[in-house]
Amino acid sequence: MLEIRIATDGNAPIYRQIVEHVRWALATDGHRPGDALPSVRALAEQLLINPNTVAHAYAELVRDGLIEARTGKGYFVAQRRRVYSDEERRRRLEAAVETFAREALLLDFAPDEIRGALDRKLSHAPQGGRVHG
Amino acid sequence: MLEIRIATDGNAPIYRQIVEHVRWALATDGHRPGDALPSVRALAEQLLINPNTVAHAYAELVRDGLIEARTGKGYFVAQRRRVYSDEERRRRLEAAVETFAREALLLDFAPDEIRGALDRKLSHAPQGGRVHG
Amino acid sequence: MLEIRIATDGNAPIYRQIVEHVRWALATDGHRPGDALPSVRALAEQLLINPNTVAHAYAELVRDGLIEARTGKGYFVAQRRRVYSDEERRRRLEAAVETFAREALLLDFAPDEIRGALDRKLSHAPQGGRVHG
Amino acid sequence: MLEIRIATDGNAPIYRQIVEHVRWALATDGHRPGDALPSVRALAEQLLINPNTVAHAYAELVRDGLIEARTGKGYFVAQRRRVYSDEERRRRLEAAVETFAREALLLDFAPDEIRGALDRKLSHAPQGGRVHG
DNA sequence: GTGGTCTAGACCACT
DNA sequence: GTGGTCTAGACCACC
């Protein structure tokens, strides 16, 4: 069900990557309230990480109301779930692009080089999202 | 001279905020090599933080070649020079674009939307001029 | 694993001594990328110093690209790479040779004696291999 | 009498530069016990530095027995002065060359490049000492 | 006054 | 357990 790839090289916390992947899956794929998520132990084994890390991610999703825990049974897609509003998505994109552009400019790259780096990255993005063109 | 405001709400470390503020100021404002920065203690008082935190930030700026320390005198704007190798700059750009693209894709933006956001940001940014022609 | 001895008598800062020891160890001993270093707390206990001092030293090694930090796991030997630009390396060599030559000349050694001392030292030094061919 | 050039760019403390210059001058030039040194104020004006710095340097020379202070009159070359023994000179040269070689090798320079840098420095050494050839 | 180093101890995020 | 950040306060060298 969940296709998650963990990048251990970057600085992105593993638990955050899980949270974002689940959040994205729930927003785009055909999941219905009540559908089961992989168990903490199963996902941990699949990703070769510590179960605590998965539990941490699930706890955050529960707190945000996207999934529910049923003790002894597992985690399930929540009845009334909220995802990012369009406004929130815009806000987050703005913050991310600001951070990126500033860093790249301070590294003394020209705008065209910066655009090129982004193009290369987007052209073979592994996330399976929409592709350019 | 330096107008720095610290945001205590976000999770950005204080010392990082100082670093970014100074980098930004040096890139955009009319600072010349030899100009003095506020002393560690003075800036700490102004920002109501511990002098160690300011020292930490200044140390990072020294390492990146942007400012110089003269013991007993203070910190001063350094001659502009390129400290990092082209490989290292590429590596850092790659890391930054990876972080940005991942965040944007997880927010479910299409590649063209992402490029558009970057273009808008770059068109407003200060050029700053290359260190070497 | 790391045999570090701290000299409390001289005026060399403790954290610098750690930095130099680790650099030396990485250059001469058979350490491979991915190998773990002693944890900050462990090394601090071993050397009977404050963990902050070890952290300071490790942070400098991270900046120079010799080791990497993985939060929650520890510090590890990084892939060997060249972080600084050729200009920066030249600048640092110039600064070092300036300091050395000044000291030697003030000690009233003749140029040939100074060259001889350097030759003797270099003939005993480990080669270490270039990062790039 | 004293030809001193202060380098404010490097990390060498000014007072140390004065100490070494005087020490060297006393060892090599034709100074006799009882000869007067420039007054603290005069030397400070000549070198464009703070009188405290000169006083600091003179104090160290007094402590080491090379010069004497006569209150209200000034500083004078001491009656029975000691300079560095040959053994001490050797020891200091060894320490300096060790520091230099290590730094240069860690910067990934080849031995020939290191020797070349030293040669260039020695060939136009401004200290007026013996010249190569 | 300035910067540089070190200690002690706290709290946080991550695994 | 790990590293990351911050505070408080000390002592030093230098100007």
Side-chain angles (χ1 to χ4, degrees):
Chain A
M1 166 196 174
L2 277 178
E3 264 194 60
I4 300 186
R5 284 195 200 159
I6 300 301
T8 61
D9 55 324
N11 297 357
I14 294 175
Y15 93 97
R16 270 241 70 80
Q17 298 183 47
I18 298 174
V19 167
E20 293 298 337
H21 269 281
V22 172
R23 201 183 269 274
W24 189 43
L26 294 189
T28 59
D29 301 350
H31 294 294
R32 307 176 50 119
D35 283 359
L37 277 77
S39 77
V40 168
R41 225 175 52 194
L43 189 54
E45 281 180 20
Q46 176 191 330
L47 301 177
L48 299 174
I49 60 178
N50 194 299
N52 287 339
T53 306
V54 178
H56 187 168
Y58 277 10
E60 177 160 328
L61 289 162
V62 168
R63 184 164 51 69
D64 286 359
L66 278 85
I67 67 176
E68 294 170 345
R70 297 186 200 150
T71 308
K73 299 214 174 163
Y75 288 86
F76 300 85
V77 177
Q79 294 299 327
R80 305 169 66 243
R81 62 185 200 256
R82 303 163 307 190
V83 292
Y84 292 140
S85 67
D86 271 7
E87 188 188 3
E88 176 70 6
R89 284 174 66 232
R90 282 274 153 216
R91 210 187 55 71
R92 291 190 175 228
L93 181 65
E94 266 312 298
V97 77
E98 166 73 26
T99 298
F100 170 55
R102 178 179 289 215
E103 171 79 7
L105 288 172
L106 287 172
L107 280 169
D108 209 23
F109 282 104
D112 281 348
E113 292 176 290
I114 302 171
R115 289 193 193 89
L118 179 62
D119 280 340
R120 276 196 307 282
K121 183 63 69 181
L122 291 177
S123 66
H124 42 67
Q127 274 82 352
R130 313 169 201 160
V131 175
H132 173 56
Chain B
M1 168 195 178
L2 275 178
E3 268 192 56
I4 299 186
R5 283 195 202 161
I6 299 304
T8 60
D9 55 322
N11 39 8
I14 296 174
Y15 88 94
R16 276 240 63 84
Q17 296 183 48
I18 298 173
V19 168
E20 295 305 328
H21 266 94
V22 174
R23 296 186 79 146
W24 204 241
L26 295 188
T28 57
D29 300 351
H31 294 292
R32 306 176 56 109
D35 283 359
L37 277 78
S39 79
V40 168
R41 289 159 170 87
L43 187 54
E45 276 185 27
Q46 176 190 329
L47 300 178
L48 300 174
I49 60 177
N50 192 291
N52 285 340
T53 305
V54 177
H56 189 171
Y58 277 9
E60 179 156 332
L61 290 162
V62 168
R63 295 190 303 264
D64 281 1
L66 293 166
I67 65 177
E68 288 174 348
R70 295 186 207 146
T71 304
K73 297 224 180 157
Y75 285 90
F76 300 85
V77 178
Q79 281 287 345
R80 195 152 183 219
R81 61 202 169 108
R82 182 170 285 176
V83 170
Y84 294 111
S85 66
D86 286 349
E87 302 158 48
E88 184 65 14
R89 289 172 59 236
R90 285 260 155 231
R91 268 191 295 264
R92 294 183 179 217
L93 180 65
E94 269 309 300
V97 78
E98 167 72 29
T99 298
F100 171 54
R102 175 184 295 268
E103 168 85 2
L105 288 170
L106 283 172
L107 285 168
D108 201 29
F109 282 102
D112 281 346
E113 292 177 290
I114 301 172
R115 288 193 190 87
L118 179 62
D119 278 340
R120 259 176 284 125
K121 187 62 70 181
L122 290 177
S123 64
H124 299 157
Q127 290 307 83
R130 319 295 301 281
V131 170
H132 290 106
Chain C
M1 169 192 176
L2 274 179
E3 269 192 54
I4 299 185
R5 283 193 203 161
I6 299 303
T8 59
D9 55 325
N11 38 7
I14 295 175
Y15 88 94
R16 274 240 65 85
Q17 296 183 48
I18 298 174
V19 168
E20 294 303 329
H21 265 95
V22 174
R23 295 186 79 144
W24 203 240
L26 295 188
T28 58
D29 301 351
H31 293 291
R32 305 176 57 110
D35 284 358
L37 277 79
S39 80
V40 168
R41 289 160 170 86
L43 188 54
E45 277 186 25
Q46 177 191 329
L47 300 178
L48 300 175
I49 59 176
N50 191 291
N52 286 340
T53 305
V54 177
H56 189 171
Y58 276 10
E60 179 156 332
L61 290 162
V62 167
R63 293 191 305 263
D64 281 1
L66 293 165
I67 66 177
E68 288 173 349
R70 295 186 205 147
T71 304
K73 297 221 178 161
Y75 284 90
F76 300 85
V77 178
Q79 283 287 345
R80 194 146 185 227
R81 59 203 170 107
R82 183 170 286 176
V83 170
Y84 295 111
S85 65
D86 285 350
E87 304 158 47
E88 184 65 15
R89 289 172 59 236
R90 285 262 155 228
R91 270 190 293 265
R92 294 185 179 216
L93 181 66
E94 268 310 299
V97 77
E98 167 71 27
T99 298
F100 171 54
R102 176 184 293 269
E103 168 84 3
L105 289 169
L106 284 172
L107 284 168
D108 202 28
F109 283 101
D112 282 345
E113 292 176 289
I114 300 172
R115 290 194 190 87
L118 178 63
D119 280 339
R120 261 176 282 124
K121 185 62 68 182
L122 290 177
S123 63
H124 299 157
Q127 289 310 80
R130 318 295 301 282
V131 169
H132 289 105
Chain D
M1 166 198 176
L2 277 177
E3 263 195 59
I4 300 186
R5 287 198 199 157
I6 299 301
T8 61
D9 55 324
N11 297 356
I14 294 176
Y15 92 97
R16 272 240 66 80
Q17 298 183 48
I18 298 174
V19 167
E20 293 298 338
H21 269 281
V22 172
R23 202 184 269 275
W24 189 42
L26 295 190
T28 58
D29 300 350
H31 293 295
R32 307 178 51 124
D35 283 358
L37 276 78
S39 77
V40 167
R41 224 174 53 192
L43 188 54
E45 279 180 21
Q46 176 191 330
L47 301 178
L48 299 174
I49 60 178
N50 193 302
N52 286 339
T53 306
V54 178
H56 187 168
Y58 277 10
E60 178 161 327
L61 289 162
V62 167
R63 185 165 51 68
D64 286 0
L66 278 84
I67 66 177
E68 293 171 347
R70 299 189 199 147
T71 308
K73 300 212 175 167
Y75 288 86
F76 300 85
V77 177
Q79 294 300 328
R80 304 167 66 242
R81 61 183 199 258
R82 304 162 306 187
V83 291
Y84 292 139
S85 67
D86 273 6
E87 189 188 6
E88 177 69 6
R89 284 174 66 233
R90 282 273 154 217
R91 209 187 55 70
R92 290 189 173 227
L93 180 66
E94 265 313 298
V97 77
E98 166 73 24
T99 298
F100 171 55
R102 176 179 292 215
E103 172 78 6
L105 289 170
L106 288 173
L107 279 170
D108 210 25
F109 282 104
D112 282 348
E113 293 176 290
I114 302 172
R115 288 193 193 90
L118 178 63
D119 278 341
R120 276 196 307 282
K121 183 63 67 178
L122 292 177
S123 66
H124 42 69
Q127 273 81 355
R130 312 169 202 162
V131 175
H132 172 57

